[in-house]
Amino acid sequence: VLADVQEPQAWFPFLRFLRGTCAAVMLLHLVAPEEERPEVLLGTEVELRDVELGGRVSRVRLTKRTLEAYQRELSRHFAQVRAFCMQTGIGYLRLSTGEPLRTPLFNRLRQTGLLQRLG
């Protein structure tokens, strides 16, 4: 499953269902570089949008305090998704959308033991 998992509670039932019907399930959690490293925007005003619904949410000035709060929440989010996968026997790999997918994906899958070279 290749997904951004922005709303984990919406994804978890689907992933549980797949795990119950498939021998193996793996979540490839896609994250944009600017989500992981928003500090480049420090001091600027950003507009937060709900891209799935197309609505404008709010404008926020990214201060050191808001950046720290965001990073804590993002870390909590990643930990929650990873813990769910571990508890349910689902493979988990977080990938940056800023990297070309093919080579890093296969290399990381091999490193984690989720993919083995045949032959």
Side-chain angles (χ1 to χ4, degrees):
V1 178
L2 191 62
D4 64 8
V5 196
Q6 291 297 317
E7 298 291 332
Q9 300 310 321
W11 278 95
F12 290 170
F14 171 68
L15 292 169
R16 263 193 208 96
F17 169 78
L18 284 180
R19 183 64 180 109
T21 59
C22 300
V25 176
M26 177 163 192
L27 175 62
L28 302 176
H29 188 175
L30 297 176
V31 180
E34 51 276 2
E35 287 179 272
E36 290 187 290
R37 293 179 304 281
E39 59 273 3
V40 296
L41 300 173
L42 193 62
T44 63
E45 190 172 275
V46 296
E47 186 172 271
L48 302 177
R49 291 179 181 247
D50 183 337
V51 293
E52 292 174 351
L53 297 177
R56 180 172 169 256
V57 176
S58 62
R59 294 184 74 76
V60 176
R61 179 161 298 282
L62 193 56
T63 65
K64 186 176 178 182
R65 184 176 172 198
T66 56
L67 178 62
E68 289 168 352
Y70 170 82
Q71 289 172 326
R72 279 192 305 275
E73 183 61 25
L74 186 65
S75 293
R76 186 202 61 75
H77 171 74
F78 289 156
Q80 176 189 25
V81 174
R82 187 168 193 268
F84 169 82
C85 289
M86 291 179 67
Q87 291 166 357
T88 55
I90 294 172
Y92 176 79
L93 185 60
R94 191 169 74 224
L95 297 171
S96 172
T97 60
E99 299 175 11
L101 188 59
R102 186 172 178 247
T103 302
L105 172 60
F106 289 121
N107 289 342
R108 297 215 23 221
L109 289 173
R110 282 189 196 102
Q111 290 169 354
T112 60
L114 296 168
L115 179 69
Q116 296 177 0
R117 188 175 293 223
L118 299 175

